[in-house]
Amino acid sequence: MADVNIQQTPTSGESRGGGSGAVWAIVVIILLLVVAWFVFGGGFSRRSTTNLNVNVPAETGGSGSGGATKTPSKTP
């Protein structure tokens, strides 16, 4: 019988397949970091001021707890 030797040279797509996967992973991670920075960090240093006007009814007499407003007595 005759020996058969088959040699194939890899095409351009196969030779860089492993490296391109790592590059795509880094690109996706950077893209996610940029999106997170815009969502959570405010993006272009946008400053917003929020005014909250809350009307709380005044406390009306009664015994109430009021423990936080009393001054502690000093004992020798």
Side-chain angles (χ1 to χ4, degrees):
M1 281 217 177
D3 291 333
V4 178
N5 291 329
I6 300 174
Q7 296 179 352
Q8 294 180 340
T9 58
T11 60
S12 62
E14 293 175 5
S15 65
R16 58 187 179 119
S20 68
V23 170
W24 278 112
I26 291 173
V27 168
V28 168
I29 289 173
I30 291 174
L31 183 65
L32 287 175
L33 289 173
V34 168
V35 169
W37 178 66
F38 275 104
V39 171
F40 297 110
F44 295 111
S45 297
R46 180 177 54 104
R47 304 284 183 218
S48 62
T49 304
T50 305
N51 290 328
L52 296 177
N53 295 324
V54 180
N55 294 324
V56 180
E59 185 177 339
T60 57
S63 61
S65 60
T69 59
K70 294 181 182 176
T71 56
S73 59
K74 294 181 180 178
T75 56

